[in-house]
């Protein structure tokens, strides 16, 4: 449980930090595609006797780079994600169907606290620290690429290079998160805390901070409640995230109504 | 400052060309308005000058250490983006390695946007939004300012403020201005040179020559 808690906190910080840029670039569904890439990476890694998290990170990073490469040739972003999703699902299903994995991948599909080891925790911590340091170093450039890619390019930002770097960061977040929340609901962890924070109508830094706060609430509540209810943590965390989003929306409307009443 | 020679551009790398045989020379300190019908190639020419597109044939050379660019307002409509004016300006200043605090204060004062540092960019009115975008383009003291349609989507009062500011920047600070214009009255009143594009072909003339050739009597003044 200690390892699960530590990895959950890491995810709670990392996912919205990446998610805020993805959501604002209207690219939130990349999380869904990359979570399937992560599953394919785990399947490849297990089939050759490797560490699942390392396999997940390497294959997901490769798929992130492939998405960037295809974006230069296929203008429709949804189509790019569909192509890479087909590759990932195809690879994962093919490898799993060989029956050579030796372990069940169900834990990765739905998220499982019990599969988290101390080694996974340390690896996740390393990826998280590296990602957060990179995000801080590239903050202004990534912000401007998300806000106005053309202006960033004119200011001398090497947009394509930073897009590749960002896809590696996304891969890191996805590979770390898949252990707790699972493949099927991972994209919700990237998008929902950000969606709740956006309701508050603040600036970028405040939105980022609130995204992390909501993410911590979602994941911690999801983890503890799923443990006591004996249900999959990933699915329950997604339900908590949706509930928090609705609470924020309703709260915002109540505050608005009260303000209008006072005027 | 800007030279284009035998410039051809096609989005498919083959005919028909969006721009064909463009010859253009813009000296430092000019205020040039690029005019023409929709689809005549104005924005394509700007993107070539900015280096966002590569010529299919010919050359375009821009000799400026720093270029400020204000894109078309419709290209920029990110009203849902959670960003304050101050965050946007400081972030841009840091990217171009300018002094974020001093530059932000300077351009906000220059564009009359003091007091809006904490406003969300999506909450600004049309005129405020245009001045904020101009403020961003002025960070780092550019020698060349490229403005794609300064008057689009803003009221007459805001238009006058923007054009007044552009005139001051050109005459008092010597900033070369290239403006894509739909507003012919503004083009005639402010420009030292007009570049007229039609069907991908272009030619330079003075505002007076342009008025003689193309404008109805009411617009000639």
């Amino acid at each position: 449980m200690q390892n699960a808690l530590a990895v959950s906190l890491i995810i709670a910080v990392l996912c919205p930090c990446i998610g805020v840029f993805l959501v604002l670039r209207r690219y939130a569904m990349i999380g869904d595609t990359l979570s399937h890439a992560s599953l394919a990476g785990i399947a490849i890694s297990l089939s050759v006797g490797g560490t699942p998290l390392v396999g997940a990170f390497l294959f997901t990073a490769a798929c992130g780079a492939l998405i960037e490469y295809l974006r230069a040739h296929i203008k429709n972003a949804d189509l790019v994600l569909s192509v890479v999703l087909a590759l990932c699902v195809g690879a994962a299903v093919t490898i799993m169907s060989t029956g050579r994995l030796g372990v069940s991948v169900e834990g990765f599909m739905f998220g499982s606290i019990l599969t988290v080891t101390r080694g996974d925790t340390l690896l996740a911590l390393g990826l998280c620290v590296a990602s957060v340091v990179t995000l801080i170093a590239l903050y202004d450039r990534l912000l401007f690429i998300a806000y106005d890619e053309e202006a960033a390019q004119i200011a001398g930002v090497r947009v394509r290079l930073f897009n590749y770097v960002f896809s590696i960061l996304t891969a890191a977040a996805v590979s770390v998160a898949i252990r707790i929340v699972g493949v099927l609901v991972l994209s919700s962890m990237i998008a929902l805390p950000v969606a709740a924070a956006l309701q508050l109508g603040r600036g970028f830094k405040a939105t980022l901070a609130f995204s992390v706060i909501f993410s911590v609430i979602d994941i911690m509540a999801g983890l503890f409640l799923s443990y006591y209810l004996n249900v999959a943590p990933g699915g329950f965390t997604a339900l908590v995230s949706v509930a928090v989003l609705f609470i924020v929306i309703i709260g915002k409307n109540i505050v608005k109504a009260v303000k209008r009443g006072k005027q | 400052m800007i030279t284009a020679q035998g410039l051809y551009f096609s989005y498919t790398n083959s005919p028909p060309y969006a721009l064909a045989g463009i010859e253009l020379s813009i000296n430092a300190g000019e205020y040039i308005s690029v005019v023409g019908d929709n689809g005549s190639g104005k924005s394509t020419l700007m993107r070539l000058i900015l280096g966002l597109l590569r010529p299919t044939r010919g050359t375009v050379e821009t000799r400026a250490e720093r270029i400020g660019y204000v894109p078309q307002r419709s290209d920029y409509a990110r009203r849902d983006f959670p960003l304050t004016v101050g965050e946007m300006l400081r972030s841009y200043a840091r990217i171009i390695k300018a002094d974020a605090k001093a530059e932000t204060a300077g351009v906000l004062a220059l564009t009359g946007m003091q007091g809006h540092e904490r406003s969300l960019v999506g909450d600004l009115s049309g005129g405020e939004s245009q001045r904020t975008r101009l403020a961003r383009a002025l960070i780092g003291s550019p020698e060349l300012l490229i403005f794609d349609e300064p008057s689009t989507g803003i009221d007459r009062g805001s238009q006058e403020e923007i054009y007044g500011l552009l005139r001051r920047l050109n005459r008092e600070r010597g900033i070369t201005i290239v403006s894509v214009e739909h507003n012919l009255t503004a083009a005639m009143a402010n420009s030292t040179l007009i570049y007229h594009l039609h069907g991908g072909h272009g030619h330079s003339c003075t505002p007076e020559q342009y008025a003689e050739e193309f404008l109805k009597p009411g617009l000639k003044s």
Side-chain angles (χ1 to χ4, degrees):
Chain A
M1 192 67 180
Q2 266 184 343
N3 289 331
L5 262 178
V7 175
S8 299
L9 271 175
I10 290 168
I11 296 168
V13 173
L14 193 53
C15 279
C17 286
I18 302 290
V20 72
F21 292 102
L22 290 174
V23 168
L24 293 171
R25 291 176 72 176
R26 299 191 169 91
Y27 222 43
M29 289 316 288
I30 196 174
D32 196 36
T33 301
L34 291 185
S35 64
H36 286 83
S38 198
L39 183 68
I42 288 165
I44 293 168
S45 190
L46 288 173
S47 69
V48 296
T51 310
L53 188 53
V54 173
F57 173 65
L58 292 178
F59 194 75
T60 310
C63 287
L66 180 64
I67 289 170
E68 279 309 314
Y69 173 77
L70 288 176
R71 276 183 69 191
H73 297 87
I74 304 172
K75 295 295 169 203
N76 185 330
D78 284 344
L79 193 54
V80 170
L81 295 182
S82 299
V83 170
V84 180
L85 183 64
L87 169 74
C88 299
V89 172
V93 171
T94 303
I95 294 167
M96 284 191 277
S97 68
T98 63
R100 289 171 51 193
L101 300 189
V103 291
S104 165
V105 291
E106 200 179 84
F108 297 105
M109 298 284 279
F110 300 108
S112 170
I113 303 166
L114 300 174
T115 56
V116 180
T117 64
R118 185 161 174 75
D120 284 339
T121 309
L122 291 174
L123 206 50
L125 184 64
L127 282 177
C128 179
V129 170
S131 299
V132 171
V133 168
T134 310
L135 273 178
I136 292 168
L138 304 182
Y139 172 82
D140 291 313
R141 293 172 183 86
L142 292 175
L143 171 60
F144 246 87
I145 290 171
Y147 181 56
D148 187 343
E149 196 168 298
E150 207 164 73
Q153 207 175 334
I154 291 163
V157 176
R158 296 170 69 186
V159 173
R160 284 200 75 184
L161 173 71
F162 287 112
N163 279 342
Y164 277 113
V165 172
F166 187 69
S167 64
I168 292 170
L169 295 179
T170 309
V174 166
S175 332
V176 169
I178 199 171
R179 267 297 164 93
I180 294 288
V181 293
V183 172
L184 299 177
V185 291
L186 190 140
S187 59
S188 67
M189 285 328 303
I190 286 179
L192 285 176
V194 180
L198 284 171
Q199 299 303 317
L200 303 177
R202 304 291 186 95
F204 190 83
K205 277 186 179 160
T207 301
L208 181 56
F210 278 109
S211 299
V212 172
I213 291 167
F214 288 132
S215 178
V216 170
I217 293 169
D218 295 347
I219 289 188
M220 287 299 132
L223 192 64
F224 280 108
L225 292 173
S226 66
Y227 183 76
Y228 288 108
L229 295 171
N230 197 24
V231 292
F236 203 77
T237 302
L239 291 179
V240 172
S241 307
V242 175
V244 168
L245 172 63
F246 277 105
I247 290 167
V248 172
I249 292 172
I250 292 165
K252 186 177 89 170
N253 286 330
I254 291 171
V255 170
K256 257 189 195 172
V258 170
K259 277 184 182 169
R260 265 202 303 269
K262 279 182 181 173
Q263 282 169 1
Chain B
M1 183 168 270
I2 301 169
T3 314
Q5 289 180 319
L7 178 65
Y8 284 75
F9 180 80
S10 160
Y11 284 96
T12 56
N13 272 329
S14 57
Y17 293 103
L19 294 172
I22 297 293
E23 301 288 336
L24 174 66
S25 176
I26 302 173
N27 297 321
E30 301 258 34
Y31 184 138
I32 182 164
S33 292
V34 180
V35 300
D37 296 335
N38 285 338
S40 59
K42 302 186 295 293
S43 293
T44 303
L45 180 59
M46 292 307 105
R47 294 168 71 79
L48 283 158
I49 290 171
L50 286 161
L52 294 171
L53 295 173
R54 286 187 185 165
T56 305
R57 245 167 53 208
T59 58
V60 57
E61 195 185 346
T62 306
R63 292 172 298 277
E65 257 184 49
R66 173 110 34 235
I67 303 172
Y69 174 53
V70 188
Q72 253 182 55
R73 206 165 153 242
S74 54
D75 295 342
Y76 202 81
R78 300 291 312 270
R79 296 193 80 84
D80 58 342
F81 203 102
L83 189 66
T84 65
V85 171
E87 281 179 325
M88 192 247 275
L89 297 176
R90 284 191 297 273
S91 197
Y92 191 79
R94 285 192 293 264
I95 289 174
I96 63 167
K97 297 183 169 52
D99 180 339
K101 205 174 167 186
E103 286 282 340
T104 299
V107 294
L108 283 173
L110 189 60
T111 53
M113 285 295 289
Q114 311 97 310
H116 284 281
E117 205 172 332
R118 292 186 178 185
S119 305
L120 288 172
V121 287
D123 289 346
L124 300 174
S125 68
E128 289 165 348
S129 172
Q130 197 77 314
R131 277 187 282 155
T132 303
R133 296 176 320 107
L134 177 57
R136 188 188 75 189
L138 291 173
I139 287 176
S141 307
E143 305 137 82
L144 171 63
L145 181 68
I146 296 180
F147 209 138
D148 204 344
E149 299 188 14
S151 58
T152 299
I154 58 174
D155 60 55
R156 189 171 287 272
S158 298
Q159 285 181 24
E160 279 167 16
E161 283 174 12
I162 292 278
Y163 284 116
L165 185 54
L166 290 180
R167 275 196 304 274
R168 282 207 329 268
L169 291 168
N170 177 246
R171 288 166 197 172
E172 295 168 16
R173 298 194 177 203
I175 297 177
T176 307
I177 292 176
V178 180
S179 172
V180 171
E181 277 296 353
H182 275 302
N183 183 339
L184 287 179
T185 310
M188 301 302 294
N190 300 314
S191 315
T192 55
L193 208 60
I194 302 273
Y195 192 75
H196 180 227
L197 272 168
H198 181 71
H201 302 278
H203 77 278
S204 302
C205 56
T206 63
E208 294 74 21
Q209 288 168 333
Y210 183 79
E212 280 304 317
E213 203 171 339
F214 295 101
L215 297 187
K216 291 173 190 169
L219 276 169
K220 286 187 179 180
S221 58

